[in-house]
Amino acid sequence: MYVADSRARAGSTTAGTTGTTARVSAVVAPTVFALGAVSLITDVSSEMVTAVLPLYLVTGLGLSPLGFGLLDGIYNGFSALVRLAGGHLADRGGGRHKWVAGVGYAISAACKPLLLLAHTLTPIGLILAADRTGKGLRTAPRDALISLSSTPENRGRAFGVHRAMDTAGALLGPLVAFLILRATVDGYDAVFTVSFCVAVVGVLVLVLFVPGGRGPSGPEQGRRDSGVGPRERTAVGRPPRPTLRAAFALLGRRDLRRITVCALLLGLATVSDSFVYLLLQRRLGVPDRWFALLPLGTAAAFLLLAVPLGRLADRVGRWRIFLAGHGALLTAYALLLTSWHGTALPYAVLLLHGGFYAATDGVLMAAASDSVPEELRSSGLALVQTGQAAARFVCSLGFGAAWTLWGDRTALMLSAAALAVCAAFALTLRPGRTVGQVLEPAS
């Protein structure tokens, strides 16, 4: 698959192929498009719930900001406990990336109808924890499949294409939730029911259309994994066994260790999306019925910028784009802290918010892939994702507590200050040249 992709790319260059679609398909593997379709459908399902969950919990069930912060932390950070397990299982199985990811998608789908039965903090927390367990299992194997289907030269673009398709679902999900809430009497129950049905379709697409194995190893694959040094090879030249010990030993590699530390520190100061939308609603007095549309702004910006920023990261360096994304997020926080109440405020904040995700989500995985050998690709990406998810879990708890004690403005000021400090530190702890560096073809 990999050799065929590179030959197709070379052939298209020689023939002077024109058209955006032709150029993109020449460098992006079919596996990436198939996984993008799965993520699109699944995100329609999950974002339907995410769009209404803050209002449902805070307004419908009367949870305090601290209680919501606890649940939101569970929703966004519980997957940190199982990401390593998902990555390890996928690597140990050789070709199990698809099936480990499939189990994760199925678990998340099964949790959607259970929300119909939960009306208090404890059962809702357990259901969200189970849902995030599914996400934790699937994320690293899915990203490993994307990485293994790409070359270092186009890895940022491949992740950008996947994230763009994924975000198309994130764009449609809140819109579907909004239409359901307006069309039904018992809107929340209808949203959860439709979300379950859509999630089942996503699982079926994964089973039927996503290839199950990894690409072949060889000279061409060896060039792709040029970040792999002699420490990852055995005495007879064989690749390392995919054990947990070998996975944690990857942190001995300077670039991957620095990427993980920076992702963790920056995650500690990244306010949850739900809190950003709640802050916008309070600043602008957005009616409850329009609240579900706020995530559309973030998703639209993400969708438009994911591929361009992925391509730019391949050219100028992934770490630069990653840090620039956090600069955009810091600017969004600053706008929320000003006294400006103009009509352009929500558009500016949501554009910056979406730009942050476009510059960091897939770009971080592309950067980490350069420092992880093929045999441990899923486990290595899971290490980075685990640190980031755990940090965001802590941030949600801390932000919710600060909001409850001192108010939303003080909580956001503290988060903005922490983000500025962590971003400045990340500038000094940047990985080496190999991260995001385009390699010359072998002669």
Side-chain angles (χ1 to χ4, degrees):
M1 178 174 62
Y2 307 110
V3 175
D5 287 340
S6 59
R7 286 176 178 171
R9 179 160 54 91
S12 64
T13 302
T14 303
T17 303
T18 60
T20 302
T21 302
R23 288 195 299 269
V24 171
S25 62
V27 295
V28 177
T31 298
V32 176
F33 288 107
L35 287 168
V38 174
S39 293
L40 189 156
I41 297 169
T42 302
D43 249 36
V44 171
S45 169
S46 61
E47 292 302 322
M48 286 175 62
V49 175
T50 301
V52 303
L53 196 62
L55 205 62
Y56 175 66
L57 296 174
V58 175
T59 302
L61 300 184
L63 290 181
S64 67
L66 178 58
F68 175 74
L70 175 61
L71 285 180
D72 191 68
I74 291 172
Y75 191 73
N76 291 290
F78 192 84
S79 60
L81 299 176
V82 293
R83 288 185 189 230
L84 286 175
H88 176 64
L89 288 173
D91 286 335
R92 284 295 295 268
R96 289 183 186 169
H97 292 83
K98 168 183 174 177
W99 302 112
V100 173
V103 171
Y105 281 111
I107 291 174
S108 294
C111 291
K112 301 297 188 297
L114 297 179
L115 289 170
L116 297 169
L117 308 176
H119 301 286
T120 58
L121 183 63
T122 300
I124 291 176
L126 292 174
I127 293 170
L128 294 181
D131 178 78
R132 294 300 89 180
T133 297
K135 181 175 178 61
L137 285 174
R138 71 179 184 251
T139 302
R142 181 204 65 197
D143 285 349
L145 280 172
I146 297 171
S147 175
L148 293 168
S149 300
S150 312
T151 67
E153 295 90 343
N154 71 358
R155 196 167 280 149
R157 180 185 296 190
F159 275 100
V161 168
H162 174 268
R163 294 315 196 252
M165 297 180 70
D166 180 270
T167 307
L171 190 66
L172 292 172
L175 182 60
V176 174
F178 169 75
L179 295 175
I180 292 174
L181 288 175
R182 289 182 63 87
T184 59
V185 177
D186 199 1
Y188 292 119
D189 287 353
V191 167
F192 298 150
T193 301
V194 174
S195 173
F196 167 68
C197 296
V198 175
V200 171
V201 174
V203 175
L204 291 176
V205 172
L206 175 76
V207 172
L208 296 176
F209 297 105
V210 175
R214 302 187 305 187
S217 299
E220 180 69 11
Q221 186 62 33
R223 185 175 70 83
R224 288 179 172 84
D225 293 323
S226 57
V228 182
R231 288 179 297 176
E232 283 77 26
R233 299 288 167 178
T234 64
V236 293
R238 291 192 302 269
R241 292 184 59 193
T243 63
L244 284 176
R245 181 178 180 181
F248 283 107
L250 290 172
L251 293 176
R253 298 181 59 82
R254 186 189 66 173
D255 284 348
L256 186 65
R257 182 175 64 252
R258 291 187 174 186
I259 289 172
T260 304
V261 170
C262 289
L264 189 153
L265 290 176
L266 292 167
L268 287 172
T270 302
V271 176
S272 166
D273 299 356
S274 298
F275 278 125
V276 172
Y277 303 142
L278 286 172
L279 288 166
L280 264 180
Q281 186 201 30
R282 294 199 171 200
R283 282 286 306 275
L284 302 174
V286 177
D288 291 353
R289 66 180 181 275
W290 298 104
F291 181 84
L293 292 181
L294 290 178
L296 292 179
T298 296
F302 193 173
L303 176 64
L304 293 174
L305 297 174
V307 175
L309 289 180
R311 295 180 63 184
L312 184 63
D314 286 338
R315 294 179 180 179
V316 305
R318 288 157 195 157
W319 200 245
R320 294 179 181 177
I321 301 300
F322 180 72
L323 291 179
H326 285 86
L329 182 64
L330 186 60
T331 305
Y333 291 172
L335 289 177
L336 287 171
L337 288 169
T338 64
S339 57
W340 180 35
H341 287 77
T343 55
L345 175 63
Y347 300 101
V349 170
L350 294 175
L351 175 63
L352 290 167
H353 197 228
F356 157 70
Y357 279 113
T360 58
D361 191 8
V363 172
L364 177 63
M365 291 297 97
S369 296
D370 295 338
S371 299
V372 181
E374 175 192 350
E375 295 78 14
L376 295 170
R377 185 65 50 83
S378 188
S379 299
L381 297 184
L383 285 172
V384 180
Q385 294 167 354
T386 295
Q388 187 179 59
R392 290 182 176 178
F393 172 79
V394 173
C395 183
S396 287
L397 293 181
F399 190 86
W403 185 335
T404 301
L405 293 174
W406 304 307
D408 55 354
R409 184 177 179 83
T410 301
L412 187 59
M413 288 179 63
L414 292 173
S415 295
L419 181 59
V421 171
C422 292
F425 180 75
L427 280 172
T428 66
L429 198 66
R430 61 185 303 165
R433 294 183 305 165
T434 57
V435 177
Q437 183 182 39
V438 177
L439 304 175
E440 294 296 330
S443 58

